[in-house]
């Protein structure tokens, strides 16, 4: 029998449900852990404001911690809102004697601007908690507060990381979400190593309440499952990114990440496979579709909601081929992760339009190109000769770069119907059709066949 690892969170309660203990426990549960909690403060808050804070007496915080540690086999822990120096000093002693990894999220200010750490407690956190920390996860304002630096550049980040490491933590993750940059970059630093930039595309959402809590809880959850620190950070980033893309407003102010995104994806797996199977059958029944199948064969891919990796994209395990008589064969059944190349095409396209859910590759020749033009569909293209050298030879690298290059060059990337790959030495030219739904993709193929 599989047992969920016990993950402990020591943090404040958010009555609005988006941050603090509530966000931590949701995250831990969604990532397969058993959440235990020590509550440091009660807050009266919603999506617009923190109306009031009621700190828990330090002696009762310590009683909670002792009760958990004396009975539960904790595999990893995190701290969030600690509020006061007295609470910090109360928990620092038992935490210094632990035998599990500790993530410290030095929460100072809420998303709404309310202060969640007393000014007098800053020195206590540095003195008593930082030296017993395995990973410290400050955001930019928090890193500036603890180091006294103004962080505007990568060089500033490196200097701040060095100063923070000198305060005792074994590793530091400076979260870059507050920086004005096209991508959101977190910087992972360990002693004696240059900080490693961990980049994620930004998500266009105002639902950012509790992102720091969610990330640190996810890191702790993955540590409790036995992953090393850097792997835990990367996996937590992926979880948070997906949760932000799935977020939605729950009140008048900024909402929170959708912590249930793994469950939503899991619930959609069977339906996605069934939908792909039906779309494949409909495609195989289209008259003359065999004429569009390239030498390397076709594949039809369909994405789960909030797909982020190739394992979230379903395809036919043996691709789509045909006989000499023009009979279309769906070789193998629908499986997730069955087509790395077409999955990469779809994932790259979804960066420009998340509503793209499916893609199909077809033959590219004079006849299909001329027909595609006659349909009036919006096309974008790329030339493999222009690919940067660092993409060559990497499995699927051209799919990422080429699709992105084609859509970036388009004046209307969100409405592109087809990406034309002109091919290269030993590489067959290809047309890759994009669509928001399988029925739309089938409609595009019918238009091509009717005019071919």
């Amino acid at each position: 029998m599989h047992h969920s690892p016990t993950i402990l969170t020591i943090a404040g309660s958010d009555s609005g449900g988006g941050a603090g203990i509530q966000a931590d426990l949701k995250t831990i549960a969604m990532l397969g852990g058993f959440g235990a909690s020590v509550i440091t403060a009660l807050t009266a808050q919603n999506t617009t404001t923190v109306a009031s804070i009621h700190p828990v007496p330090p002696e009762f915080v310590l009683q909670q911690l002792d009760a958990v540690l004396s009975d539960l086999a904790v595999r990893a822990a995190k701290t969030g809102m600690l509020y006061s120096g007295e609470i910090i000093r109360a928990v620092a002693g038992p935490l210094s004697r632990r035998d599990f990894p500790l993530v410290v999220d030095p929460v100072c200010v809420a998303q709404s601007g309310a202060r969640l750490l007393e000014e007098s407690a800053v020195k206590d956190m540095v003195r008593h908690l930082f030296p017993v920390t395995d990973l410290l996860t400050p955001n930019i304002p928090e890193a500036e507060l603890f180091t006294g630096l103004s962080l505007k550049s990568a060089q500033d980040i490196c200097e701040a990381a060095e100063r923070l490491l000198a305060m005792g933590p074994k590793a530091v993750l400076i979260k870059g979400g507050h920086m004005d940059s096209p991508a959101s970059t977190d910087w992972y630093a360990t002693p004696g190593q240059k900080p490693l930039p961990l980049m994620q595309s930004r998500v266009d959402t105002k639902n950012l309440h509790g992102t720091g809590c969610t990330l640190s809880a996810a890191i702790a959850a993955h540590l409790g499952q036995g992953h090393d620190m850097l792997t835990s950070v990367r996996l937590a980033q992926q979880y948070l990114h997906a949760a932000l893309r799935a977020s939605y407003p729950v009140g008048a102010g900024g909402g929170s990440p959708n912590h249930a995104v793994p469950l939503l994806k899991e619930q959609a797996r069977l339906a996605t496979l069934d939908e792909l199977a039906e779309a494949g059958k409909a495609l195989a029944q289209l008259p003359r579709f065999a004429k569009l199948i390239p030498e390397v064969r076709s594949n039809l891919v369909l994405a789960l909601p909030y797909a982020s990796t190739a394992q979230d994209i379903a395809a036919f395990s043996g691709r789509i081929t045909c006989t000499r008589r023009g009979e279309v064969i769906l070789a193998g059944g629908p499986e997730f992760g069955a087509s790395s190349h077409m999955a990469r095409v779809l994932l790259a396209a979804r960066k420009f339009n998340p509503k793209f859910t499916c893609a199909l590759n077809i033959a590219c020749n004079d006849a299909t190109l001329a027909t595609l033009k006659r349909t009036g569909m919006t096309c974008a293209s790329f030339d493999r000769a222009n690919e940067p050298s660092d993409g060559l030879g990497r499995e699927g690298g051209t799919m990422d770069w080429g699709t992105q290059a084609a859509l970036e060059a388009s004046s209307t990337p969100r409405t592109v119907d087809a990406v034309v790959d002109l091919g290269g030495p030993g590489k067959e030219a290809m047309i890759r059709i994009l669509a928001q739904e399988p029925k739309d993709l089938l409609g595009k193929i019918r238009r091509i066949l009717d005019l071919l």
Side-chain angles (χ1 to χ4, degrees):
M1 179 182 295
H2 172 74
H3 295 283
S4 299
T6 297
I7 312 299
L8 170 63
T9 169
I10 306 170
S13 169
D14 174 6
S15 58
I21 288 287
Q22 285 81 354
D24 294 345
L25 293 178
K26 292 174 189 176
T27 298
I28 292 165
M30 282 297 103
L31 295 178
F34 177 85
S37 64
V38 171
I39 298 178
T40 60
L42 306 177
T43 68
Q45 65 176 296
N46 52 32
T47 62
T48 63
T49 186
V50 178
S52 182
I53 298 175
H54 179 68
V56 174
E59 58 272 17
F60 187 68
V61 173
L62 185 57
Q63 286 177 339
Q64 294 177 74
L65 183 57
D66 287 342
V68 171
L69 296 182
S70 65
D71 180 45
L72 280 65
V74 175
R75 296 284 298 277
K78 65 147 289 187
T79 67
M81 175 187 180
L82 297 177
Y83 190 69
S84 71
E86 291 81 6
I87 292 176
I88 291 171
R89 292 193 296 272
V91 302
L95 290 178
S96 68
R97 298 186 293 272
R98 73 190 188 279
D99 59 356
F100 49 80
L102 173 66
V103 179
V104 171
D105 181 13
V107 176
C108 296
V109 179
Q111 197 77 31
S112 62
R115 192 167 187 94
L116 303 180
L117 181 70
E118 292 180 336
E119 289 188 36
S120 59
V122 173
K123 290 183 178 179
D124 286 303
M125 181 171 285
V126 173
R127 181 179 305 160
H128 299 287
L129 204 54
F130 283 16
V132 300
T133 298
D134 291 289
L135 178 69
L136 182 69
T137 64
N139 58 29
I140 294 294
E142 290 161 351
E144 291 179 331
L145 172 66
F146 289 112
T147 64
L149 298 172
S150 177
L151 306 187
K152 304 297 183 184
S153 66
Q155 184 175 351
D156 297 336
I157 294 286
C158 292
E159 184 176 351
E162 187 175 347
R163 291 194 185 187
L164 289 169
L165 287 170
M167 298 175 188
K170 294 179 181 177
V172 171
L173 183 71
I174 299 179
K175 299 172 292 189
H178 288 77
M179 295 194 82
D180 184 15
S181 58
S184 178
T185 303
D186 298 336
W187 297 81
Y188 178 76
T190 54
Q193 300 292 325
K194 185 177 180 180
L196 177 66
L198 305 176
M199 298 179 65
Q200 294 274 343
S201 59
R202 286 192 180 274
V203 180
D204 185 16
T205 179
K206 68 174 185 176
N207 302 317
L208 302 172
H209 180 55
T211 52
C213 304
T214 300
L215 182 68
S216 56
I219 295 171
H222 288 299
L223 287 171
Q225 293 168 356
H227 295 289
D228 62 48
M229 186 63 75
L230 182 55
T231 300
S232 297
V233 169
R234 289 183 181 275
L235 291 172
Q237 280 187 317
Q238 293 173 14
Y239 169 74
L240 176 58
H241 195 263
L244 285 171
R245 288 188 288 114
S247 66
Y248 56 91
V250 294
S256 302
N258 187 344
H259 300 94
V261 66
L263 179 61
L264 298 176
K265 290 169 68 172
E266 188 63 31
Q267 289 176 331
R269 291 180 73 85
L270 184 57
T272 299
L273 292 175
D274 289 342
E275 187 176 9
L276 180 60
E278 291 302 313
K281 292 177 183 177
L283 189 68
Q285 292 170 5
L286 291 179
R288 305 182 308 283
F289 175 68
K291 294 181 179 292
L292 296 181
I293 297 178
E295 290 292 328
V296 297
R297 297 175 290 176
S298 294
N299 214 333
L300 173 62
V301 293
L302 181 62
L304 283 172
Y306 321 117
S308 59
T309 71
Q311 293 302 314
D312 295 332
I313 310 291
F316 289 92
S317 60
R319 305 188 192 182
I320 303 172
T321 186
C322 63
T323 67
R324 295 178 63 182
R325 294 189 298 273
E327 298 168 321
V328 177
I329 300 172
L330 303 175
E335 294 181 14
F336 287 100
S339 175
S340 172
H341 280 62
M342 285 303 296
R344 288 175 179 271
V345 169
L346 184 55
L347 289 170
R350 284 168 59 84
K351 293 178 182 179
F352 295 84
N353 184 356
K355 293 184 178 181
F356 285 137
T357 68
C358 52
L360 171 73
N361 65 307
I362 61 175
C364 179
N365 51 47
D366 291 343
T368 53
L369 284 174
T371 302
L372 191 62
K373 185 175 181 180
R374 290 172 59 200
T375 65
M377 285 192 264
T378 303
C379 299
S381 65
F382 67 92
D383 188 341
R384 288 172 181 258
N386 298 325
E387 183 178 8
S389 59
D390 61 1
L392 294 173
R394 181 167 56 86
E395 178 69 17
T398 301
M399 302 302 100
D400 299 301
W401 167 82
T403 305
Q404 182 168 323
L407 294 180
E408 283 179 345
S410 171
S411 59
T412 57
R414 295 177 61 86
T415 59
V416 166
D417 299 295
V419 174
V420 178
D421 175 358
L422 299 176
K427 299 294 183 180
E428 186 178 4
M430 201 74 62
I431 297 170
R432 300 180 179 95
I433 308 296
L434 304 171
Q436 296 188 17
E437 296 181 25
K439 67 177 183 179
D440 295 333
L441 189 146
L442 289 168
K444 294 175 183 181
I445 296 301
R446 289 191 188 96
R447 286 162 60 189
I448 294 172
L449 289 171
D450 287 344
L451 294 174
L452 187 63

